[in-house]
Amino acid sequence: MGYTWNFSGLWKYREVFARGTLMTAYLTCIALVIGVVLGMVLALMRGSRFAPIRYLAAAYIELFRTTPALVQLVWIYYSLPILTGIQLPNVASAAIGLGLHSAAYFAEIFRAGIQSIEQGQTYAARSLGMSHWQSMRRIVLPQALQRMVPPLINEFVNLAKLTTLASVLAVYELMQQANNLMLTVPRPLEIYTVLALLFFAILFPITLLSQALERRWIRTKF
Amino acid sequence: MDTDEVLMTSTDASPASALSVRGLTKTFGSHRVLDDVSFDVQPGETVAIIGPSGSGKSTLLKCLNFLQEYDAGEVRFMGRLVGYVTTGGRRRREKEKNIDRLRSKLGMVFQSFNLFPHMTVLENVIEAPMLVNRESRADATARAKALLERVGLANKADAYPATLSGGQQQRAAIARALAMQPIAMLFDEPTSALDPELVGEVLDVMQALAAQGMTMVVVTHEMNFARDVADKVLVMDRGAIIEQGPPEVVLSNPRTERTRAFLQRMLHR
């Protein structure tokens, strides 16, 4: 093959990559908080005694799981102002959009985790006089959380990679910085490679940590 | 209002009964799991419920502390209607807080123990007294240790449930239920999940409890326990009580053919 790889020209743009990494991390964190909190609320709503609350949560989850994340971001940035008059800045649109998107997946993880706890645990807790919330907080969730950690970290990694979609809203995260840099340095293959390596360098240790936790918890008896 | 007040402010029904069940009926879809069940449990009495599997025994027990809702009839605990309030002839679900309070005075022991696996035995026992009754950790711990002593598990306080035998787990579960200082105890086939050699240690604890005057409703397949410990035996079949009376009558001289057939099967297990 005739292509000659040349990464040397990219070193002086390391600050560009650093800024992109920071923005990617920032987007991931905000979206993660929104996704986890809203996801937990949705999961608890799905367990409600009141049917309308259950259906509302189910509808949300299905809507956000069956439409493309890219469309959701674009929609929040461009269509929301038309419908409501609320124009969010691009970074906020991306963070909220990704948060709303990931909430649907987090909700399913939480729901599966809660459902994986035998009903006998709830019966025992309630028979002792604990309220629904007390038994959730002290008995069900602590056990469920442990089983949820591997899928939660998996979803976190997905979310981190999804932040590259924010480039369509001109948010200067890694992907947008890379696209922009290509206008100056015509080395797209090298630039994308560096981008991929940065993602790998950050996310691979996290997946290792997840596997280590999983192994440790399988060894302890419950 | 504190718990005792809630439980004692009864207006109607026979206040003498600890538990009083009248015309209790429950259906799952088109299947009638409980069909017009009526019986009483007097304070200090031990009532054994026997009958083939699927006859509604466990569902009945869960209706007594409202872990299962029932469709018709009534359950009264210390004279107070369980799970519902009646206003103007219409029945609606009792406030959750009141249902929780009532449950805290009606201990329950399950076939599969249902200890909390993420807590030590001691933590299992002190959890509800601290969380529900707002007891201090010191008070709850002191009583928990006395209870564990009583069920022969003083040396297992810091063990996790998974490291215990089935018999030890069930005795811990009994201590956990007793820690709430219940007025009555419900046992749902407490020895059915145990290896045969571990059944005795659990029955011994239950027998001692009965002897100390605890009011108990015990769903069981242990005919010897029913004969020796129970004051009254109920026989259930297809959701209905087909026979009830003192064990020496029901077990030795059953009136119905179905009871006789069931007892025959239990003998030749």
Side-chain angles (χ1 to χ4, degrees), chain A residues 127-128, chain B residues 3-4 7 18 77-78 101-109 129 133 135 143 147 150 173-187 209 213-216:
Chain A
S127 78
L128 290 163
Chain B
T3 311
D4 294 329
L7 294 173
F77 176 48
M78 305 307 286
R101 273 185 190 149
L102 186 139
R103 287 200 189 109
S104 75
K105 289 285 139 191
L106 197 45
M108 190 164 198
V109 173
N133 290 349
E135 281 180 43
R143 236 195 20 265
L147 282 169
R150 208 165 128 194
I174 293 172
R176 178 177 68 178
L178 290 174
M180 291 301 285
Q181 301 176 291
I183 296 172
M185 290 274 286
L186 311 173
F187 293 84
L209 205 54
M214 176 58 78
T215 308
M216 308 191 349

Side-chain angles (χ1 to χ4, degrees), chain A residues 12-200:
Chain A
K12 65 178 171 185
Y13 295 104
R14 59 191 179 277
E15 240 184 79
V16 170
F17 285 107
R19 278 202 302 272
T21 305
L22 276 181
M23 179 53 88
T24 291
Y26 177 75
L27 274 182
T28 306
C29 287
I30 304 287
L32 180 71
V33 170
I34 295 173
V36 165
V37 171
L38 182 59
M40 180 55 89
V41 170
L42 287 166
L44 292 172
M45 283 170 70
R46 288 208 72 168
S48 169
R49 280 204 290 126
F50 303 102
I53 293 181
R54 284 201 304 274
Y55 294 146
L56 194 68
Y60 178 99
I61 291 166
E62 292 314 325
L63 180 68
F64 276 85
R65 283 204 308 177
T66 54
T67 52
L70 182 68
V71 176
Q72 292 164 15
L73 292 195
V74 170
W75 203 89
I76 285 176
Y77 188 60
Y78 292 106
S79 304
L80 203 62
I82 297 171
L83 292 174
T84 65
I86 301 168
Q87 174 68 69
L88 294 168
N90 59 347
V91 176
S93 294
I96 291 171
L98 290 167
L100 296 181
H101 175 80
S102 65
Y105 288 88
F106 281 122
E108 287 298 278
I109 293 169
F110 289 135
R111 186 175 68 99
I114 291 170
Q115 278 184 346
S116 77
I117 305 303
E118 305 70 42
Q119 195 172 23
Q121 291 288 307
T122 306
Y123 278 151
R126 300 304 302 273
S127 78
L128 290 163
M130 289 185 210
S131 68
H132 175 75
W133 289 110
Q134 286 173 330
S135 89
M136 267 291 165
R137 186 167 57 82
R138 295 288 304 170
I139 307 303
V140 177
L141 287 180
Q143 296 180 60
L145 270 173
Q146 240 186 46
R147 301 186 191 180
M148 290 177 208
V149 165
L152 283 178
I153 290 184
N154 192 32
E155 181 52 30
F156 168 78
V157 169
N158 270 334
L159 176 59
K161 290 184 296 182
L162 275 180
T163 57
T164 52
L165 295 178
S167 58
V168 298
L169 305 186
V171 173
Y172 275 83
E173 43 65 65
L174 270 172
M175 181 62 85
Q176 179 68 1
Q177 293 285 13
N179 289 340
N180 201 41
L181 187 58
M182 281 172 224
L183 304 176
T184 322
V185 188
R187 285 265 162 204
L189 291 184
E190 283 83 349
I191 291 174
Y192 277 143
T193 304
V194 170
L195 178 89
L197 286 173
L198 280 171
F199 268 102
F200 179 79

Side-chain angles (χ1 to χ4, degrees), chain B residues 124-136:
Chain B
N124 264 276
V125 180
I126 63 176
E127 179 68 20
M130 287 172 58
L131 195 63
V132 177
N133 290 349
R134 308 255 162 241
E135 281 180 43
S136 72

Side-chain angles (χ1 to χ4, degrees), chain B residues 109-113 166-167 170 174 187-196 198-204 206 218-223 225 269:
Chain B
V109 173
F110 302 86
Q111 179 176 354
S112 49
F113 327 131
Q170 194 60 299
I174 293 172
F187 293 84
D188 189 4
E189 301 201 27
T191 58
S192 295
L194 296 176
D195 293 335
L198 300 177
V199 168
E201 63 190 62
V202 172
L203 292 181
D204 287 347
M206 291 168 59
V218 185
V219 170
T220 186
H221 288 302
E222 294 296 326
M223 292 305 136
F225 179 85
R269 254 196 320 178

Side-chain angles (χ1 to χ4, degrees), chain B residues 11-12 74 76 80-81 83-95 98:
Chain B
T11 47
D12 40 353
E74 51 184 45
R76 286 183 182 274
R80 187 185 167 89
L81 186 63
Y84 298 103
V85 283
T86 316
T87 39
R90 284 178 55 139
R91 177 186 262 194
R92 57 185 170 75
R93 196 181 162 97
E94 170 78 279
K95 279 203 208 89
N98 290 339

Side-chain angles (χ1 to χ4, degrees), chain B residues 23-82:
Chain B
L24 184 65
T25 298
K26 176 168 181 68
T27 53
F28 284 127
S30 63
H31 179 52
R32 188 167 274 221
V33 214
L34 292 177
D35 187 5
D36 196 18
V37 170
S38 301
F39 64 95
D40 285 282
V41 184
Q42 305 307 321
E45 218 177 27
T46 294
V47 172
I49 304 179
I50 62 173
S53 9
S55 58
K57 305 184 300 290
S58 288
T59 307
L60 169 60
L61 217 54
K62 287 198 180 75
C63 285
L64 297 185
N65 67 352
F66 215 62
L67 283 181
Q68 293 264 355
E69 294 184 358
Y70 49 93
D71 308 324
E74 51 184 45
V75 175
R76 286 183 182 274
F77 176 48
M78 305 307 286
R80 187 185 167 89
L81 186 63
V82 169

